[in-house]
């Protein structure tokens, strides 16, 4: 069936002028590469750009699919006008990509995990993402112009493809894709291995398609860890096969994630997190073995879906006052089992379990009607808190995970935490410095700067927040894995989530990728802001609903007419 739409065009008089001019002295690649040089030439790129693969890992489907995806992005306009330019001679007709590793799924990091189907290693934290990118005009020895990407892994090649795509710009006058300031020489690698975004779908359900769009947008800023906060006190939307009643804690039966959804997100672009049902208002008893059997059973199910090497065991905002229902009775609320995922455009997952999970479990109603009661025992609330966290760590480690905990666990009983623990900072500054001084690894998410639901935090405060602040010893700096911006969703749903994330998440992304000295010198209003405007407009062109950069409150629409490059 065809749809017929009447198109109305309004033509009015207008003043011909251009108020938005780009500063040619700046490099409009985001995040800024580690090392690069450029020239003064303009090169045209053939809409029929072809791919030539080389190296031991050259025959990778990941690279081929990545090339196809970026080719559609680069030639979104010029492909329609190709008939006009088909007689032109183009400077760049081939993109050659050489992948030196012969295993496109190999991880070079410390968190290797073999996938459950035995197909190889999943992408893990610490994989080599470095690449070399060369773009120059044809010379006398070659009749075909070339761009060249070389990387040790397919993931480095994908990073190079993103940078190449940002060098390409559609010229509306010639109706061709151009690369300005050529020749380009870029030697690039990330500053931190962990560059994450937390997405909360427990406070407001987000459709799988929206989650995948957000993950895809992360790749444009070279973010590589997707932390899916699926559950919390408000809802439990994830299917757990061993406990089929758990997801009755979802808001409605239409706001849920099936196991198939989770697999699709993990394998295609994403991953999940959990919480209990509204029918049981009592918590499980921290002193009962049954409590930990439940947690172990759920982790076992999740391990089949989420292969990444980290498992986040939460432990934040524990109100021990609520644990005392009457004298000598202590409870632990397990209200949130979070899944963290390290992604590279498509794959990789890490898991986080928040310390709540069964305050509302009615899955045991047929077996344990009274299991939502506490046992009398001699534990203090602090003892119970520590006991629960340490037992949960033991379970996670037994299943091959490295435990991650929010900083409250470190602040409360650091000396008793498993030495493999990764401390996740969020309350304020100075925590990573204290954690690494005691030999722990740390992830930076200072809420004063990197909590995206704080709408009054301007882009420049996000940009200047430094994960290594107060850490001067090189060996201790290496214990800081990186950082994560957090999209908590008490007041965000599908209607506003992308513009709440972007473009401020990009400010953190450059901090996590680019050289500290390079991006911290000079006046960032002159060196970074015009580039961030440009990247925000690039996101918009790619279909990402990124809000204006300089509004007082994030995600607000423009205050009036104007150019994308100035708002």
């Amino acid at each position: 069936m065809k749809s017929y739409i009447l198109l109305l065009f309004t033509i009015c008089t207008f003043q011909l002028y251009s108020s938005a001019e780009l500063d040619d002295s700046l490099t409009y690649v985001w995040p800024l590469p580690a090392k690069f040089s450029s020239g003064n030439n303009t090169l045209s790129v053939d809409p029929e750009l072809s791919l030539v693969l080389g190296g031991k890992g050259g025959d990778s489907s990941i690279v081929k699919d990545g090339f196809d995806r970026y080719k559609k992005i680069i030639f979104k306009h010029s492909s329609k006008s190709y008939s006009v330019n088909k007689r032109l001679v183009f400077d760049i007709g081939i993109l050659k990509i050489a992948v030196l590793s012969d295993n496109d799924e190999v991880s070079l990091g410390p968190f290797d995990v073999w996938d459950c189907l035995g197909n190889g290693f999943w992408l893990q934290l610490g994989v080599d993402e470095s690449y070399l990118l060369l773009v120059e005009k044809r010379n006398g020895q070659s009749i075909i112009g070339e761009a060249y990407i070389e990387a040790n892994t397919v993931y480095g090649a994908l990073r190079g493809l993103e940078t190449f795509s940002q060098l390409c710009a559609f010229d509306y006058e010639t109706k061709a894709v151009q690369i300005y300031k050529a020749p380009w020489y870029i030697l690039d690698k990330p500053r931190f291995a962990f560059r994450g975004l937390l997405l909360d779908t427990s406070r407001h359900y987000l459709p799988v398609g929206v989650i995948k769009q957000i993950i895809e947008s992360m790749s444009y800023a070279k973010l590589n860890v997707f932390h899916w906060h699926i559950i919390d006190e408000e809802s439990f939307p994830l299917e757990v096969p061993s406990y089929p009643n758990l997801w009755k804690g979802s808001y409605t039966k239409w706001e849920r994630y099936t196991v198939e959804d989770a697999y699709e997100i993990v394998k295609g672009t994403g991953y999940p997190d959990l919480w209990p049902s509204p029918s049981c208002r009592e918590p499980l008893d921290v002193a009962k073995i049954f409590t930990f059997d439940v947690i172990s059973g759920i982790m076992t199910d999740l391990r089949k879906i989420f292969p990444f090497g980290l498992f986040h065991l939460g432990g934040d905002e524990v109100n021990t006052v609520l644990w005392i229902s009457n004298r000598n009775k202590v409870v632990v609320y397990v209200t949130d089992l979070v899944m963290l995922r390290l992604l590279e455009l498509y794959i990789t997952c890490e898991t986080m379990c928040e310390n709540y999970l069964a305050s509302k479990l009615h899955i045991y109603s047929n077996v344990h009607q009274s299991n939502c009661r506490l046992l009398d025992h001699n534990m203090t609330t602090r003892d119970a808190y520590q006991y629960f966290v340490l037992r949960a760590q033991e379970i996670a480690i037994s299943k091959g995970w490295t435990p991650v905990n929010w900083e409250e666990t470190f602040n409360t009983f650091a000396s008793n935490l498993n030495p493999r623990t990764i401390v996740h900072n969020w309350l304020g500054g100075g925590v990573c410095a204290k954690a690494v001084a005691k030999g722990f690894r740390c992830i930076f998410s200072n809420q004063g700067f990197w909590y995206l639901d704080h709408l009054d935090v301007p882009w420049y405060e996000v940009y200047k927040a430094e994960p290594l602040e107060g850490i001067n010893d090189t060996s201790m700096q290496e214990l800081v894995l990186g950082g994560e911006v957090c999209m908590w969703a008490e007041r965000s749903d599908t209607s506003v989530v992308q513009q709440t994330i972007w473009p401020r998440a990009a400010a953190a992304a450059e901090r996590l990728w680019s050289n500290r000295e390079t991006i911290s010198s000079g006046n960032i209003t002159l060196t970074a802001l015009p580039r961030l405007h440009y990247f925000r407009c690039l996101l918009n062109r790619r279909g990402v609903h990124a809000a204006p950069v300089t509004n007082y409150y994030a995600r607000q629409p423009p205050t009036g007419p104007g150019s994308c490059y100035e708002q």
Side-chain angles (χ1 to χ4, degrees):
M1 178 178 178
K2 293 184 177 180
S3 297
Y4 297 92
I5 301 173
L6 178 64
L7 299 179
L8 299 180
F9 296 91
T10 301
I11 300 176
C12 61
T13 59
F14 59 93
Q15 183 177 357
L16 213 68
Y17 70 95
S18 176
S19 61
E21 297 291 338
L22 297 181
D23 184 346
D24 289 338
S25 68
L26 299 177
T27 298
Y28 293 93
V29 174
W30 196 281
L32 197 68
K35 295 180 181 179
F36 62 91
S37 64
S38 59
N40 298 307
N41 297 326
T42 298
L43 307 181
S44 59
V45 185
D46 191 341
E48 293 188 342
L49 182 72
S50 59
L51 173 66
V52 175
L53 293 171
K56 294 180 180 179
D59 193 27
S60 166
S61 61
I62 292 178
V63 174
K64 292 175 183 176
D65 292 344
F67 173 79
D68 291 340
R69 185 171 58 254
Y70 277 107
K71 187 174 179 180
K72 290 178 181 177
I73 291 173
I74 293 169
F75 297 107
K76 182 178 180 179
H77 288 294
S78 60
S79 60
K80 299 173 184 177
S81 57
Y82 176 60
S83 59
V84 178
N85 296 317
K86 62 184 179 182
R87 293 189 178 89
L88 293 179
V89 176
F90 295 96
D91 298 307
I92 302 296
I94 291 177
L95 174 59
K96 184 174 182 179
I97 301 179
V99 178
L100 305 184
S101 169
D102 60 358
N103 185 347
D104 65 10
E105 305 247 340
V106 73
S107 164
L108 304 181
F111 304 113
D112 291 341
V113 176
W114 191 262
D115 82 4
C116 59
L117 299 178
N119 293 328
F121 284 102
W122 290 85
L123 171 64
Q124 298 297 323
L125 187 64
V127 70
D128 189 344
E129 299 175 82
S130 65
Y131 66 91
L132 167 70
L133 172 61
L134 301 174
V135 182
E136 56 186 341
K137 196 171 185 177
R138 71 177 79 243
N139 55 40
Q141 286 75 42
S142 174
I143 60 172
I144 300 176
E146 261 187 17
Y148 176 73
I149 295 173
E150 180 179 291
N152 291 322
T153 69
V154 295
Y155 308 110
L158 291 174
R159 300 303 182 207
L161 275 168
E162 173 59 42
T163 299
F164 178 75
S165 74
Q166 292 190 28
L167 294 180
C168 296
F170 181 69
D171 187 308
Y172 283 84
E173 294 182 356
T174 64
K175 295 185 179 180
V177 170
Q178 312 266 22
I179 295 179
Y180 301 104
K181 300 175 69 172
W184 283 96
Y185 171 86
I186 297 175
L187 187 62
D188 200 11
K189 64 179 181 178
R191 181 181 170 211
F192 291 104
F194 189 109
R195 307 179 305 280
L197 167 69
L198 178 149
L199 183 65
D200 175 9
T201 61
S202 64
R203 275 62 181 241
H204 284 96
Y205 173 85
L206 297 177
V208 171
V210 173
I211 295 173
K212 292 171 72 173
Q213 289 171 4
I214 291 170
I215 293 172
E216 183 73 11
S217 70
M218 290 172 62
S219 70
Y220 302 151
K222 298 186 174 73
L223 292 173
N224 71 337
V225 177
F226 176 62
H227 172 173
W228 189 6
H229 187 91
I230 302 177
I231 67 163
D232 214 300
E233 183 174 356
E234 291 79 6
S235 72
F236 196 126
L238 181 66
E239 179 184 18
V240 179
S242 295
Y243 306 100
N245 288 326
L246 266 178
W247 67 349
K248 291 182 180 179
S250 61
Y251 289 121
T252 68
K253 64 182 180 180
W254 301 285
E255 296 171 292
R256 293 175 174 177
Y257 303 104
T258 65
V259 168
E260 291 77 16
D261 290 334
Y263 273 120
E264 181 182 350
I265 290 175
V266 170
K267 293 203 152 192
T269 344
Y271 91 130
D273 144 22
L274 327 170
W275 153 252
S277 131
S279 62
C280 174
R281 300 305 304 179
E282 298 292 330
L284 292 177
D285 189 346
V286 68
K288 282 193 173 184
I289 295 176
F290 177 68
T291 297
F292 298 99
D293 288 343
V294 172
I295 293 171
S296 179
I298 292 176
M299 286 190 190
T300 298
D301 271 3
L302 298 178
R303 193 53 160 149
K304 297 172 184 176
I305 304 173
F306 305 108
F308 191 55
L310 306 186
F311 199 100
H312 201 302
L313 294 164
D316 64 318
E317 296 183 317
V318 176
N319 187 349
T320 56
V321 174
L322 297 178
W323 290 8
I324 306 176
S325 57
N326 55 48
R327 192 172 67 179
N328 295 328
K329 292 191 175 183
V330 180
V331 306
V332 169
Y333 284 86
V334 191
T335 60
D336 180 24
L337 187 56
V338 190
M339 320 293 275
L340 240 226
R341 169 193 197 263
L342 175 79
L343 87 104
E344 171 38 51
L345 284 181
Y346 305 90
I347 321 175
T348 322
C349 165
E350 121 184 25
T351 344
M352 279 192 160
C353 149
E354 291 255 324
N355 96 323
Y356 297 122
L357 177 93
S359 60
K360 300 176 181 177
L361 298 177
H362 76 279
I363 58 176
Y364 307 108
S365 57
N366 295 330
V367 181
H368 262 285
Q369 288 289 348
S370 62
N371 267 352
C372 288
R373 296 186 178 180
L374 304 175
L375 293 178
D376 291 342
H377 50 74
N378 295 321
M379 280 187 179
T380 65
T381 55
R382 181 189 174 104
D383 291 339
Y385 176 31
Q386 174 178 297
Y387 175 71
F388 176 83
V389 170
L390 298 184
R391 283 291 304 274
Q393 286 193 336
E394 290 176 5
I395 295 170
I397 290 170
S398 73
K399 299 184 185 303
W401 272 308
T402 296
V404 184
N405 285 95
W406 292 106
E407 68 174 76
E408 286 93 325
T409 59
F410 172 79
N411 296 337
T412 307
F413 44 87
S415 60
N416 293 325
L417 286 174
N418 188 287
R420 295 174 59 185
T421 303
I422 297 173
V423 177
H424 195 168
N425 154 246
W426 74 280
L427 286 172
V431 173
C432 279
K434 295 176 183 177
V436 299
K438 292 183 178 293
F440 292 103
R441 288 167 293 175
C442 191
I443 296 168
F444 176 87
S445 291
N446 188 329
Q447 66 170 336
F449 308 110
W450 284 10
Y451 269 33
L452 300 175
D453 57 315
H454 295 189
L455 301 180
D456 59 346
V457 178
W459 75 271
Y460 53 84
E461 290 190 5
V462 178
Y463 190 79
K464 292 189 295 183
E466 175 51 53
L468 296 185
E469 183 178 5
I471 307 173
N472 300 315
D473 184 273
T474 303
S475 62
M476 292 186 181
Q477 289 179 348
E478 292 175 353
L479 294 176
V480 178
L481 299 180
E484 176 180 281
V485 288
C486 299
M487 181 62 258
W488 299 108
E490 284 86 350
R491 295 176 178 83
S492 296
D493 64 5
T494 300
S495 65
V496 295
V497 65
Q498 290 196 48
Q499 50 267 55
T500 309
I501 294 171
W502 303 108
R504 289 184 302 159
E510 181 153 285
R511 175 63 52 178
L512 291 167
W513 180 279
S514 305
N515 290 339
R516 180 179 182 179
E517 296 76 16
T518 303
I519 65 173
S520 299
S521 61
N523 183 345
I524 62 172
T525 302
L526 300 177
T527 60
L529 180 57
R531 297 175 47 251
L532 186 55
H533 279 308
Y534 188 92
F535 184 71
R536 179 247 171 169
C537 299
L538 178 146
L539 291 175
N540 286 170
R541 291 195 302 271
R542 294 184 180 184
V544 180
H545 303 159
V549 177
T550 54
N551 280 357
Y552 182 76
Y553 286 107
R555 83 181 180 205
Q556 282 188 328
T559 56
S563 167
C564 174
Y565 297 92
E566 292 182 328
Q567 294 178 329

